[in-house]
Coordinates of all heavy atoms in Angstrom, one line a residue:
H39 N -54.2 42.8 -5.2 CA -54.2 44.1 -4.7 C -55.2 44.4 -3.5 O -55.1 45.3 -2.8 CB -54.5 45.1 -5.8 CG -55.9 45.0 -6.4 ND1 -56.3 43.9 -7.2 CD2 -57.0 45.7 -6.2 CE1 -57.5 44.0 -7.5 NE2 -58.0 45.1 -6.9
K40 N -56.1 43.4 -3.3 CA -57.0 43.5 -2.2 C -56.5 42.8 -1.0 O -57.2 42.7 0.1 CB -58.4 43.0 -2.6 CG -59.0 43.8 -3.7 CD -60.4 43.2 -4.1 CE -61.0 44.0 -5.2 NZ -62.3 43.4 -5.6
G41 N -55.4 42.1 -1.1 CA -54.9 41.3 0.0 C -55.4 39.9 0.0 O -55.2 39.1 1.0
D42 N -56.1 39.4 -1.0 CA -56.7 38.1 -1.1 C -55.7 37.1 -1.7 O -54.9 37.5 -2.6 CB -58.0 38.1 -1.9 CG -59.1 38.9 -1.4 OD1 -59.2 39.0 -0.1 OD2 -59.8 39.6 -2.2
S43 N -55.7 35.9 -1.2 CA -54.8 34.9 -1.8 C -55.1 34.7 -3.3 O -56.2 34.6 -3.6 CB -54.9 33.6 -1.0 OG -54.0 32.6 -1.5
I44 N -54.0 34.5 -4.1 CA -54.2 34.3 -5.5 C -54.4 32.7 -5.7 O -53.6 32.0 -5.1 CB -53.0 34.8 -6.3 CG1 -52.9 36.3 -6.2 CG2 -53.1 34.3 -7.7 CD1 -51.7 36.9 -6.9
S45 N -55.3 32.4 -6.5 CA -55.5 31.0 -6.8 C -54.3 30.3 -7.3 O -53.5 30.9 -8.0 CB -56.6 30.8 -7.8 OG -56.7 29.5 -8.4
Q46 N -54.1 29.0 -7.1 CA -52.9 28.3 -7.6 C -53.1 27.9 -9.0 O -52.2 27.3 -9.6 CB -52.6 27.1 -6.7 CG -52.1 27.6 -5.3 CD -51.4 26.6 -4.5 OE1 -52.0 25.5 -4.4 NE2 -50.2 26.9 -4.1
V47 N -54.2 28.3 -9.6 CA -54.3 28.2 -11.1 C -53.9 29.5 -11.6 O -54.8 30.4 -11.9 CB -55.8 27.8 -11.5 CG1 -55.8 27.6 -13.0 CG2 -56.2 26.5 -10.8
L48 N -52.6 29.8 -11.7 CA -52.1 31.1 -12.0 C -52.4 31.6 -13.4 O -52.5 32.8 -13.6 CB -50.6 31.1 -11.8 CG -50.1 30.8 -10.4 CD1 -48.5 30.8 -10.4 CD2 -50.6 31.9 -9.4
N49 N -52.6 30.7 -14.3 CA -52.8 31.0 -15.7 C -54.3 30.8 -16.1 O -54.5 30.6 -17.3 CB -51.9 30.3 -16.6 CG -51.7 31.1 -17.9 OD1 -51.9 32.3 -17.9 ND2 -51.4 30.4 -19.0
A50 N -55.2 30.9 -15.2 CA -56.6 30.7 -15.6 C -57.0 31.7 -16.7 O -57.8 31.3 -17.5 CB -57.5 30.8 -14.4
G51 N -56.5 32.9 -16.7 CA -56.9 33.8 -17.7 C -56.0 33.8 -18.9 O -56.2 34.6 -19.9
G52 N -55.0 32.9 -18.9 CA -54.1 32.8 -20.1 C -53.1 33.9 -20.3 O -52.6 34.0 -21.4
R53 N -52.8 34.7 -19.3 CA -51.9 35.8 -19.5 C -50.6 35.7 -18.8 O -49.7 36.5 -18.9 CB -52.6 37.1 -19.0 CG -53.8 37.5 -19.9 CD -54.4 38.8 -19.5 NE -54.9 38.7 -18.1 CZ -56.2 38.5 -17.7 NH1 -57.1 38.4 -18.6 NH2 -56.5 38.5 -16.5
A54 N -50.4 34.7 -17.9 CA -49.2 34.5 -17.2 C -48.2 33.6 -17.9 O -48.6 32.6 -18.5 CB -49.4 33.9 -15.8
A55 N -46.9 34.0 -18.0 CA -46.0 33.3 -18.7 C -44.6 33.2 -18.0 O -44.3 34.1 -17.2 CB -45.7 34.0 -20.1
L56 N -43.8 32.2 -18.3 CA -42.4 32.1 -17.9 C -41.7 32.9 -19.0 O -41.7 32.6 -20.2 CB -41.9 30.7 -17.9 CG -40.4 30.5 -17.7 CD1 -40.0 31.0 -16.4 CD2 -40.0 29.1 -17.9
N57 N -41.0 34.0 -18.5 CA -40.2 34.8 -19.4 C -38.7 34.7 -19.0 O -38.4 34.8 -17.9 CB -40.6 36.3 -19.2 CG -42.1 36.5 -19.6 OD1 -42.4 36.4 -20.8 ND2 -42.9 36.8 -18.7
I58 N -37.9 34.5 -20.0 CA -36.5 34.5 -19.8 C -35.8 35.3 -20.9 O -36.1 35.2 -22.1 CB -35.9 33.0 -19.9 CG1 -36.6 32.1 -18.9 CG2 -34.4 33.0 -19.7 CD1 -36.3 30.6 -19.0
V59 N -34.9 36.2 -20.4 CA -34.2 37.1 -21.3 C -32.7 37.1 -21.0 O -32.3 36.8 -19.8 CB -34.6 38.6 -21.3 CG1 -36.1 38.7 -21.8 CG2 -34.5 39.2 -20.0
V60 N -31.8 37.3 -22.0 CA -30.4 37.5 -21.7 C -30.2 38.9 -21.1 O -30.8 39.9 -21.6 CB -29.6 37.4 -23.1 CG1 -28.1 37.6 -22.8 CG2 -29.9 36.1 -23.7
E61 N -29.5 38.9 -20.0 CA -29.3 40.2 -19.4 C -27.8 40.4 -18.9 O -27.2 39.6 -18.3 CB -30.2 40.4 -18.1 CG -30.1 41.7 -17.5 CD -31.3 42.1 -16.6 OE1 -32.3 41.3 -16.6 OE2 -31.2 43.1 -15.9
D62 N -27.3 41.6 -19.4 CA -26.0 42.1 -19.0 C -24.8 41.4 -19.8 O -23.9 42.0 -20.2 CB -25.6 42.0 -17.5 CG -26.5 42.9 -16.7 OD1 -27.1 43.8 -17.3 OD2 -26.6 42.7 -15.5
T63 N -24.9 40.1 -19.9 CA -23.8 39.3 -20.6 C -24.4 38.4 -21.7 O -25.2 37.5 -21.4 CB -23.0 38.5 -19.6 OG1 -22.5 39.3 -18.5 CG2 -21.8 37.8 -20.3
A64 N -24.0 38.6 -22.9 CA -24.5 37.8 -24.0 C -24.1 36.3 -23.8 O -23.1 36.0 -23.2 CB -23.8 38.2 -25.3
L65 N -25.0 35.4 -24.3 CA -24.7 34.0 -24.2 C -23.7 33.6 -25.3 O -23.8 34.1 -26.4 CB -26.0 33.1 -24.4 CG -27.1 33.3 -23.4 CD1 -28.2 32.3 -23.7 CD2 -26.6 33.0 -22.0
A66 N -22.7 32.8 -24.9 CA -21.7 32.4 -25.9 C -21.5 30.9 -25.7 O -21.3 30.4 -24.6 CB -20.4 33.2 -25.8
G67 N -21.4 30.2 -26.9 CA -21.2 28.8 -26.8 C -20.2 28.4 -28.0 O -19.7 29.3 -28.6
N68 N -20.0 27.2 -28.2 CA -19.1 26.7 -29.2 C -19.8 26.5 -30.5 O -19.2 25.8 -31.4 CB -18.4 25.5 -28.7 CG -19.3 24.3 -28.5 OD1 -20.4 24.3 -28.8 ND2 -18.7 23.2 -27.9
G69 N -21.0 26.9 -30.7 CA -21.7 26.8 -32.0 C -22.7 25.6 -32.0 O -23.7 25.7 -32.7
S70 N -22.5 24.7 -31.1 CA -23.4 23.6 -31.0 C -23.9 23.4 -29.6 O -24.3 22.3 -29.2 CB -22.8 22.3 -31.6 OG -21.7 21.9 -30.9
T71 N -23.7 24.4 -28.8 CA -24.1 24.3 -27.4 C -25.7 24.4 -27.3 O -26.3 25.3 -27.8 CB -23.5 25.5 -26.6 OG1 -22.1 25.4 -26.7 CG2 -23.9 25.4 -25.1
T72 N -26.3 23.4 -26.6 CA -27.7 23.5 -26.4 C -27.9 23.7 -24.9 O -27.3 23.1 -24.0 CB -28.4 22.2 -26.8 OG1 -27.9 21.1 -26.1 CG2 -28.3 22.0 -28.3
V73 N -28.9 24.6 -24.6 CA -29.2 24.9 -23.2 C -30.7 24.7 -23.1 O -31.5 25.3 -23.9 CB -28.8 26.3 -22.8 CG1 -29.2 26.6 -21.4 CG2 -27.4 26.6 -23.1
T74 N -31.2 24.0 -22.1 CA -32.6 23.8 -21.8 C -33.0 24.4 -20.5 O -32.3 24.2 -19.5 CB -32.9 22.2 -21.7 OG1 -32.6 21.6 -23.0 CG2 -34.4 22.0 -21.4
F75 N -34.0 25.3 -20.6 CA -34.6 25.9 -19.4 C -35.8 25.2 -19.0 O -36.7 24.9 -19.9 CB -34.9 27.4 -19.7 CG -33.6 28.2 -20.1 CD1 -33.2 28.3 -21.4 CD2 -32.9 28.8 -19.1 CE1 -32.1 29.0 -21.7 CE2 -31.7 29.5 -19.4 CZ -31.4 29.6 -20.8
S76 N -36.0 24.8 -17.8 CA -37.2 24.1 -17.3 C -37.8 24.7 -16.1 O -37.2 25.3 -15.3 CB -36.8 22.6 -16.9 OG -36.1 22.0 -18.0
L77 N -39.2 24.7 -16.1 CA -40.0 25.2 -15.0 C -40.5 24.0 -14.3 O -41.1 23.1 -14.9 CB -41.1 26.1 -15.5 CG -42.1 26.6 -14.4 CD1 -41.4 27.5 -13.5 CD2 -43.3 27.2 -15.1
Y78 N -40.4 23.9 -12.9 CA -40.9 22.8 -12.1 C -41.8 23.4 -11.0 O -41.7 24.5 -10.6 CB -39.7 22.2 -11.4 CG -38.7 21.4 -12.2 CD1 -37.7 22.1 -12.8 CD2 -38.9 20.1 -12.4 CE1 -36.8 21.4 -13.6 CE2 -38.0 19.4 -13.2 CZ -36.9 20.0 -13.8 OH -36.1 19.4 -14.6
D79 N -42.7 22.5 -10.6 CA -43.5 22.8 -9.3 C -43.3 21.7 -8.4 O -43.0 20.5 -8.7 CB -44.9 23.2 -9.7 CG -45.8 22.0 -10.0 OD1 -45.3 20.9 -10.4 OD2 -47.0 22.1 -9.9
H80 N -43.5 22.0 -7.1 CA -43.4 21.0 -6.0 C -44.0 21.5 -4.8 O -44.2 22.7 -4.6 CB -42.0 20.6 -5.8 CG -41.8 19.2 -5.2 ND1 -42.0 19.0 -3.9 CD2 -41.3 18.1 -5.7 CE1 -41.8 17.7 -3.6 NE2 -41.4 17.1 -4.7
T81 N -44.3 20.6 -3.8 CA -44.8 21.0 -2.5 C -43.7 21.5 -1.6 O -43.9 21.9 -0.5 CB -45.6 19.9 -1.9 OG1 -44.7 18.7 -1.8 CG2 -46.8 19.5 -2.7
T82 N -42.4 21.3 -2.0 CA -41.3 21.7 -1.1 C -40.6 22.9 -1.8 O -40.8 23.2 -2.9 CB -40.2 20.6 -1.0 OG1 -39.6 20.4 -2.2 CG2 -40.9 19.3 -0.5
V83 N -39.6 23.5 -1.0 CA -39.0 24.7 -1.5 C -37.8 24.4 -2.5 O -37.1 25.3 -2.9 CB -38.4 25.6 -0.4 CG1 -39.6 26.1 0.5 CG2 -37.4 24.8 0.5
T84 N -37.7 23.2 -2.9 CA -36.7 22.8 -3.9 C -37.4 22.0 -5.0 O -37.3 20.8 -5.2 CB -35.6 21.9 -3.3 OG1 -36.2 20.7 -2.7 CG2 -34.7 22.6 -2.3
P85 N -38.2 22.8 -5.8 CA -39.1 22.1 -6.8 C -38.4 21.3 -7.9 O -38.9 20.4 -8.5 CB -39.9 23.3 -7.4 CG -39.1 24.5 -7.1 CD -38.3 24.2 -5.8
W86 N -37.1 21.7 -8.2 CA -36.3 20.9 -9.2 C -35.9 19.6 -8.7 O -35.4 18.8 -9.5 CB -35.2 21.8 -9.7 CG -34.4 22.4 -8.6 CD1 -33.5 21.8 -7.8 CD2 -34.6 23.7 -8.1 NE1 -33.1 22.7 -6.8 CE2 -33.7 23.9 -7.0 CE3 -35.4 24.8 -8.5 CZ2 -33.6 25.1 -6.3 CZ3 -35.3 26.0 -7.8 CH2 -34.4 26.1 -6.7
T87 N -36.0 19.3 -7.4 CA -35.6 18.0 -6.8 C -36.9 17.2 -6.6 O -37.6 17.5 -5.6 CB -34.8 18.2 -5.5 OG1 -33.7 19.1 -5.7 CG2 -34.4 16.9 -4.9
G88 N -37.2 16.3 -7.5 CA -38.4 15.5 -7.3 C -39.7 16.2 -7.7 O -40.8 15.6 -7.5
G89 N -39.6 17.4 -8.2 CA -40.8 18.1 -8.6 C -41.3 17.7 -10.0 O -40.7 16.9 -10.7
R90 N -42.4 18.2 -10.4 CA -43.0 17.9 -11.7 C -42.5 19.0 -12.7 O -42.6 20.2 -12.5 CB -44.5 18.0 -11.5 CG -45.4 18.0 -12.8 CD -46.8 18.0 -12.5 NE -47.2 19.2 -11.7 CZ -48.5 19.5 -11.5 NH1 -49.5 18.8 -11.9 NH2 -48.8 20.6 -10.8
K91 N -42.0 18.5 -13.8 CA -41.6 19.4 -14.9 C -42.8 19.9 -15.6 O -43.5 19.1 -16.3 CB -40.6 18.8 -15.8 CG -40.0 19.7 -16.9 CD -39.1 19.1 -17.9 CE -37.9 18.5 -17.3 NZ -36.9 18.0 -18.3
L92 N -43.0 21.2 -15.6 CA -44.2 21.8 -16.2 C -44.0 22.1 -17.7 O -44.9 22.0 -18.5 CB -44.7 23.0 -15.5 CG -45.1 22.8 -14.0 CD1 -45.3 24.2 -13.4 CD2 -46.3 22.0 -14.0
M93 N -42.8 22.6 -18.0 CA -42.4 23.0 -19.4 C -40.9 23.1 -19.5 O -40.2 23.2 -18.5 CB -43.1 24.3 -19.8 CG -42.7 25.5 -18.9 SD -43.4 27.0 -19.4 CE -45.1 26.8 -19.0
E94 N -40.5 23.1 -20.7 CA -39.0 23.3 -21.0 C -38.9 23.9 -22.4 O -39.8 23.8 -23.2 CB -38.2 22.0 -20.9 CG -38.5 21.0 -21.9 CD -37.6 19.7 -21.7 OE1 -37.1 19.5 -20.7 OE2 -37.5 19.0 -22.7
F95 N -37.8 24.6 -22.6 CA -37.5 25.3 -23.8 C -36.0 25.2 -24.1 O -35.2 25.5 -23.2 CB -37.9 26.8 -23.7 CG -37.8 27.5 -25.0 CD1 -38.9 27.4 -25.9 CD2 -36.8 28.3 -25.3 CE1 -38.8 28.1 -27.1 CE2 -36.7 29.0 -26.5 CZ -37.7 28.9 -27.4
T96 N -35.6 24.7 -25.2 CA -34.2 24.5 -25.6 C -33.8 25.4 -26.7 O -34.5 25.6 -27.7 CB -34.0 23.0 -26.0 OG1 -34.4 22.1 -25.0 CG2 -32.6 22.7 -26.4
I97 N -32.6 25.9 -26.5 CA -32.0 26.8 -27.5 C -30.6 26.3 -27.9 O -30.0 25.5 -27.1 CB -31.8 28.3 -27.0 CG1 -30.9 28.3 -25.7 CG2 -33.2 28.9 -26.7 CD1 -30.6 29.7 -25.3
T98 N -30.1 26.6 -29.1 CA -28.8 26.3 -29.5 C -28.0 27.6 -29.5 O -28.4 28.6 -30.2 CB -28.8 25.7 -30.9 OG1 -29.5 24.5 -30.8 CG2 -27.3 25.3 -31.3
V99 N -26.9 27.7 -28.8 CA -26.1 28.9 -28.7 C -24.8 28.8 -29.5 O -24.0 27.9 -29.4 CB -25.7 29.1 -27.2 CG1 -24.9 30.4 -27.0 CG2 -27.0 29.1 -26.3
S100 N -24.6 29.9 -30.3 CA -23.4 30.0 -31.1 C -22.6 31.2 -30.4 O -23.0 31.6 -29.3 CB -23.7 30.3 -32.5 OG -24.2 31.6 -32.7
A101 N -21.7 31.7 -31.1 CA -20.9 32.8 -30.5 C -21.6 34.1 -30.5 O -21.3 35.0 -29.6 CB -19.6 33.0 -31.3
T102 N -22.6 34.3 -31.3 CA -23.2 35.7 -31.4 C -24.8 35.7 -31.5 O -25.3 36.8 -31.6 CB -22.7 36.4 -32.7 OG1 -23.1 35.6 -33.8 CG2 -21.2 36.6 -32.6
N103 N -25.5 34.6 -31.4 CA -26.9 34.6 -31.6 C -27.8 35.0 -30.5 O -29.0 35.2 -30.6 CB -27.4 33.3 -32.3 CG -27.2 32.1 -31.4 OD1 -26.4 32.1 -30.5 ND2 -28.0 31.1 -31.7
Y104 N -27.3 35.2 -29.3 CA -28.0 35.6 -28.1 C -27.4 36.8 -27.4 O -26.8 36.6 -26.3 CB -28.3 34.4 -27.1 CG -29.3 33.5 -27.7 CD1 -29.0 32.4 -28.4 CD2 -30.7 33.7 -27.4 CE1 -29.9 31.5 -28.9 CE2 -31.6 32.8 -27.9 CZ -31.3 31.7 -28.6 OH -32.2 30.9 -29.1
P105 N -27.4 38.0 -28.0 CA -26.8 39.1 -27.3 C -27.6 39.6 -26.1 O -28.8 39.2 -26.0 CB -26.7 40.2 -28.4 CG -27.9 39.8 -29.4 CD -28.0 38.3 -29.3
D106 N -27.0 40.5 -25.4 CA -27.7 41.1 -24.2 C -29.1 41.7 -24.7 O -29.2 42.4 -25.7 CB -26.9 42.3 -23.7 CG -27.5 42.9 -22.5 OD1 -28.3 42.3 -21.8 OD2 -27.1 44.1 -22.1
G107 N -30.1 41.4 -23.9 CA -31.5 41.9 -24.2 C -32.3 41.0 -25.1 O -33.5 41.2 -25.2
T108 N -31.8 39.9 -25.6 CA -32.5 39.0 -26.4 C -33.5 38.2 -25.5 O -33.1 37.6 -24.5 CB -31.6 38.0 -27.1 OG1 -30.7 38.8 -27.9 CG2 -32.4 37.0 -28.0
Q109 N -34.7 38.1 -26.0 CA -35.7 37.2 -25.3 C -35.4 35.8 -25.7 O -35.3 35.4 -26.9 CB -37.1 37.6 -25.8 CG -38.2 36.7 -25.2 CD -39.6 37.2 -25.6 OE1 -39.9 38.4 -25.6 NE2 -40.4 36.3 -26.0
I110 N -35.3 34.9 -24.7 CA -35.1 33.5 -24.9 C -36.5 32.8 -25.1 O -36.7 32.1 -26.0 CB -34.3 32.9 -23.8 CG1 -32.9 33.4 -23.8 CG2 -34.3 31.3 -23.9 CD1 -32.0 33.0 -22.7
C111 N -37.4 33.1 -24.2 CA -38.8 32.6 -24.3 C -39.8 33.4 -23.5 O -39.4 34.1 -22.6 CB -38.8 31.1 -23.9 SG -38.5 30.9 -22.1
S112 N -41.0 33.3 -23.9 CA -42.1 33.8 -23.2 C -43.2 32.7 -23.3 O -44.0 32.8 -24.3 CB -42.6 35.1 -23.7 OG -43.6 35.7 -22.9
L113 N -43.3 31.8 -22.5 CA -44.2 30.6 -22.6 C -45.3 30.7 -21.6 O -45.1 30.7 -20.4 CB -43.4 29.3 -22.3 CG -42.2 29.0 -23.2 CD1 -41.4 27.8 -22.7 CD2 -42.6 28.8 -24.6
P114 N -46.6 30.7 -22.1 CA -47.7 30.7 -21.2 C -47.7 29.5 -20.2 O -47.4 28.4 -20.6 CB -48.9 30.6 -22.1 CG -48.4 31.1 -23.4 CD -47.0 30.7 -23.5
L115 N -48.0 29.8 -19.0 CA -48.0 28.8 -17.9 C -49.2 27.9 -18.2 O -50.2 28.3 -18.8 CB -48.2 29.4 -16.5 CG -47.1 30.3 -16.0 CD1 -47.4 30.8 -14.6 CD2 -45.8 29.5 -16.0
P116 N -49.1 26.6 -17.8 CA -50.2 25.7 -18.0 C -51.4 26.1 -17.2 O -51.2 26.6 -16.1 CB -49.7 24.3 -17.6 CG -48.4 24.6 -16.8 CD -47.9 25.9 -17.2
A117 N -52.6 26.0 -17.8 CA -53.8 26.4 -17.0 C -54.3 25.2 -16.2 O -55.3 24.6 -16.6 CB -54.9 26.9 -18.0
M118 N -53.6 25.0 -15.1 CA -53.9 23.8 -14.3 C -53.5 24.2 -12.9 O -52.8 25.2 -12.7 CB -53.2 22.6 -14.7 CG -51.7 22.8 -14.8 SD -50.8 21.4 -15.6 CE -50.1 20.6 -14.2
E119 N -54.0 23.5 -11.9 CA -53.5 23.7 -10.5 C -52.1 23.4 -10.4 O -51.6 22.3 -10.8 CB -54.4 22.9 -9.5 CG -54.1 23.3 -8.1 CD -55.1 22.7 -7.1 OE1 -56.2 22.5 -7.5 OE2 -54.7 22.6 -6.0
L120 N -51.3 24.3 -9.8 CA -49.9 24.1 -9.6 C -49.6 23.8 -8.1 O -50.3 24.3 -7.2 CB -49.1 25.3 -10.0 CG -49.3 25.7 -11.5 CD1 -48.6 27.0 -11.8 CD2 -48.8 24.6 -12.4
S121 N -48.5 23.2 -7.8 CA -48.0 23.0 -6.5 C -47.6 24.4 -5.9 O -47.3 25.3 -6.7 CB -46.9 22.0 -6.4 OG -47.4 20.7 -6.7

Side-chain angles (χ1 to χ4, degrees):
H39 65 287
K40 295 179 181 178
D42 299 324
S43 180
I44 293 176
S45 167
Q46 291 196 307
V47 182
L48 298 176
N49 202 28
R53 295 182 300 259
L56 170 63
N57 297 291
I58 304 174
V59 297
V60 178
E61 187 161 348
D62 293 343
T63 307
L65 298 183
N68 64 7
S70 61
T71 302
T72 59
V73 183
T74 299
F75 298 91
S76 301
L77 175 68
Y78 293 86
D79 75 339
H80 203 285
T81 56
T82 69
V83 296
T84 55
W86 44 80
T87 304
R90 172 177 56 171
K91 186 185 294 186
L92 299 171
M93 62 178 66
E94 67 181 17
F95 190 78
T96 301
I97 61 173
T98 300
V99 180
S100 70
T102 59
N103 64 335
Y104 284 93
D106 182 21
T108 302
Q109 177 178 314
I110 293 173
C111 68
S112 185
L113 302 172
L115 297 180
M118 58 190 254
E119 186 169 336
L120 302 175
S121 296

